[in-house]
């Protein structure tokens, strides 16, 4: 599913080049789940952005399924993100003028979906019920708590039934019970629908539940054991 080989990523800033990822490789089979832990600033979000085709590596190759994502045109990258990928961002980027339900439906507005609108909306309601937000459908983002915004973003990432979910701290601002809810949802998808899952987390308990763990350190991924 994911085959990233010898990828490096540097950022040019005034005065210096920041080398974030250095010759990093990652292989994840179809339907596999893994977590990435590592200190703040180690490059976890940078790596997810590369795998999600939101940014390009300075060198190296990234294959997702049978696509070399470095060679995608902008339109193809958008199509890949719309059809195959669910991305839970560390900053959730909810649209402020839209309700919770509408925000979850946003990914459905892009692309060429054929499904009847009622079915999509029904799925959005079910996802929101699963993340415990069925009583907040009409709230606007500013009327939500931090954890509720995050849970909305998780539901939004799943509306297109992606085969790959990349989640950047999906339980960052959640209490233990909501953390379990999100973990259950992601792990159920992985187990029942064979969704491939890559989760960045500072939460050792979540990393442990996901099973396979990598630590991002010194620009590379190292096999790790969650405590
Ligand atoms: N566009 C950019 N320009 C310059 N430097 C950048 C850019 N994006 C990220 N960096 C730098 O790359 C490093 C890694 O950033 P990244 O956001 O990937 O870290 P992270 O592991 O996700 O950290 P956190 O746990 O705090 O979210 C940081 O030192 C950051 O300053
Ligand atoms: Mg980050």
């Amino acid at each position: 599913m994911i085959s990233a080989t010898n990828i490096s990523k540097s950022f040019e800033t005034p005065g210096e080049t920041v080398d974030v990822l250095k010759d990093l490789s990652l292989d994840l089979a179809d339907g596999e789940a893994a977590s990435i832990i590592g200190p703040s600033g180690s490059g976890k979000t940078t790596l997810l952005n590369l795998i999600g085709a939101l940014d390009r590596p300075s060198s190296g190759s990234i294959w997702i399924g049978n696509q070399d994502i470095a060679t995608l045109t902008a339109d193809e990258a958008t199509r890949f993100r719309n059809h195959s990928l669910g991305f839970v961002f560390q900053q959730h980027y909810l649209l402020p003028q839209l309700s919770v339900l509408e925000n979850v439906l946003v990914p459905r507005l892009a692309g060429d979906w054929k499904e009847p609108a009622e079915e999509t909306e029904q799925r959005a309601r079910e996802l929101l019920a699963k993340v415990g937000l069925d009583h907040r459908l009409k709230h606007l983002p500013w009327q939500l708590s931090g954890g509720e915004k995050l849970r909305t973003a998780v539901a939004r990432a799943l509306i297109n039934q992606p085969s790959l979910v990349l989640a950047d701290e999906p339980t960052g601002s959640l209490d233990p019970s909501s953390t379990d809810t999100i973990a259950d949802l992601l792990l159920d998808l992985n187990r029942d629908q064979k969704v491939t899952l890559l989760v960045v987390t500072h939460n050792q308990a979540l990393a442990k539940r996901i099973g396979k763990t990598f630590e991002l350190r010194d620009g590379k991924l190292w096999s790790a054991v969650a405590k």
Side-chain angles (χ1 to χ4, degrees):
M1 179 52 137
I2 302 178
S3 182
T5 312
N6 301 119
I7 55 174
S8 299
K9 180 67 181 174
S10 306
F11 293 106
E12 300 295 335
T13 60
E16 68 165 332
T17 303
V18 187
D19 299 318
V20 180
L21 305 178
K22 301 169 192 163
D23 220 14
L24 174 155
S25 294
L26 169 68
D27 283 291
L28 213 56
D30 249 343
E32 208 175 357
S35 65
I36 299 178
I37 58 175
S40 177
S42 57
K44 304 180 298 295
T45 297
T46 301
L47 176 60
L48 282 201
N49 286 343
L50 297 180
I51 296 171
L54 293 167
D55 198 1
R56 291 186 175 219
S58 308
S59 62
S61 76
I62 303 176
W63 285 74
I64 309 286
N66 56 6
Q67 284 184 305
D68 176 355
I69 58 172
T71 63
L72 299 182
T73 63
D75 281 353
E76 288 166 344
T78 303
R79 196 182 147 76
F80 159 70
R81 283 195 299 271
N82 280 336
H83 281 265
S84 311
L85 185 69
F87 205 122
V88 182
F89 295 95
Q90 192 169 17
Q91 276 128 10
H92 28 70
Y93 302 118
L94 298 180
L95 296 175
Q97 68 278 33
L98 299 185
S99 71
V100 164
L101 182 61
E102 289 163 344
N103 263 287
V104 171
L105 290 168
V106 161
R108 220 55 193 181
L109 303 177
D112 47 358
W113 303 104
K114 299 281 191 295
E115 184 184 63
E118 311 84 75
E119 277 175 40
T120 314
E121 185 170 322
Q122 184 54 32
R123 196 165 58 252
R125 288 173 185 275
E126 283 165 15
L127 282 168
L128 283 164
K130 280 191 183 160
V131 299
L133 283 178
D134 34 352
H135 60 313
R136 292 284 183 266
L137 299 182
K138 292 189 173 152
H139 277 230
L140 296 170
W142 65 269
Q143 297 167 317
L144 298 173
S145 72
E148 287 172 341
K149 285 184 208 148
L150 186 52
R151 286 183 278 150
T152 305
V154 171
R156 180 185 56 188
L158 302 177
I159 190 68
N160 285 343
Q161 301 173 296
S163 52
L164 170 63
V165 171
L166 303 175
D168 200 349
E169 293 277 2
T171 63
S173 46
L174 300 182
D175 61 79
S177 149
S178 296
T179 296
D180 283 344
T181 303
I182 296 298
D184 289 345
L185 178 61
L186 294 176
L187 287 166
D188 284 355
L189 280 175
N190 172 251
R191 192 191 52 224
D192 301 337
Q193 286 162 48
K194 306 285 174 265
V195 168
T196 309
L197 194 59
L198 186 59
V199 180
V200 166
T201 184
H202 285 294
N203 185 321
Q204 291 278 347
L206 176 59
K208 198 167 184 174
R209 280 192 68 186
I210 292 171
K212 189 170 193 173
T213 308
F214 297 103
E215 182 177 359
L216 184 42
R217 185 167 30 88
D218 302 328
K220 287 188 171 57
L221 285 175
W222 309 81
S223 199
V225 179
K227 296 178 198 88

